[in-house]
Amino acid sequence: MSKKPIPDHEADGIQELDNPAPLWWQICFYACIVFALGYYAYYEVGNGKSSDQALQEELYAVELARSQNKGSAFDESAILALHKDSSAMSLAKTQFNGKCAACHGAQMQGGIGPNLTDDYWIHGGTTENILTVIKKGALDKGMPAWEALLNEKEQNSIVAYIVSLRGSNPAGAKAPQGEKVNP
């Protein structure tokens, strides 16, 4: 470091010295300049994707995946046939207890959410309505959409499990809510 004063640079008795910036600071400064030039060349002059282009590509990929993963048309008989499949019912009971029982109760008697064992339903009690509510949710009532977290087999199994316990009248069941539906 040189301690050579700069002529005519004195204020309040403090003499300014001509010291260079520290080496580490100079390296960082010049590295930032090199990075900025490279960044500019790649994204502005070259073919680098803008954040809007990258977002559009990701959204396209999501839509493509959704269209490929869309389930087949609703088949009530296939869902109701799951009653006889003990592995599907076991999976459904596990999924229900893990994801649904917190709001609907372990025996579907209701809690925060409505009772699923009676004939009164807020969003329709048909097999198709139940599946739609599981997939899309009912956000105005606090029911989340499970379509992205449960595959089609799990969704259908849970619907079959719910339908299988209709009319079971568990102890401490919540009072009826919604409109009466004929099962």
Side-chain angles (χ1 to χ4, degrees), residues 116-174:
L116 300 178
T117 62
D118 62 14
D119 291 332
Y120 291 86
W121 290 76
I122 298 171
H123 299 287
T126 66
T127 307
E128 187 172 8
N129 292 138
I130 296 169
L131 181 61
T132 301
V133 171
I134 289 172
K135 284 183 176 187
K136 305 296 182 195
L139 297 178
D140 59 328
K141 301 288 185 187
M143 169 77 176
W146 292 100
E147 186 172 34
L149 300 172
L150 297 170
N151 64 39
E152 186 176 354
K153 181 179 179 183
E154 291 169 330
Q155 294 169 21
N156 291 341
S157 297
I158 290 174
V159 171
Y161 181 65
I162 291 170
V163 170
S164 73
L165 290 180
R166 184 176 278 173
S168 62
N169 300 320
K174 192 171 183 179

Side-chain angles (χ1 to χ4, degrees), residues 2 10-11 26 41 63 80 103 164:
S2 72
E10 183 177 334
Q26 290 180 17
E63 287 302 318
L80 296 177
C103 294
S164 73

Side-chain angles (χ1 to χ4, degrees), residues 27-43:
I27 290 170
C28 289
F29 178 72
Y30 291 118
C32 287
I33 291 173
V34 170
F35 176 80
L37 290 173
Y39 187 91
Y40 180 79
Y42 181 73
Y43 286 103

Side-chain angles (χ1 to χ4, degrees), residues 79-98:
I79 291 174
L80 296 177
L82 292 172
H83 289 276
K84 299 173 186 160
D85 184 354
S86 61
S87 67
M89 289 294 97
S90 175
L91 169 72
K93 184 175 183 177
T94 302
Q95 290 291 335
F96 185 89
N97 287 334

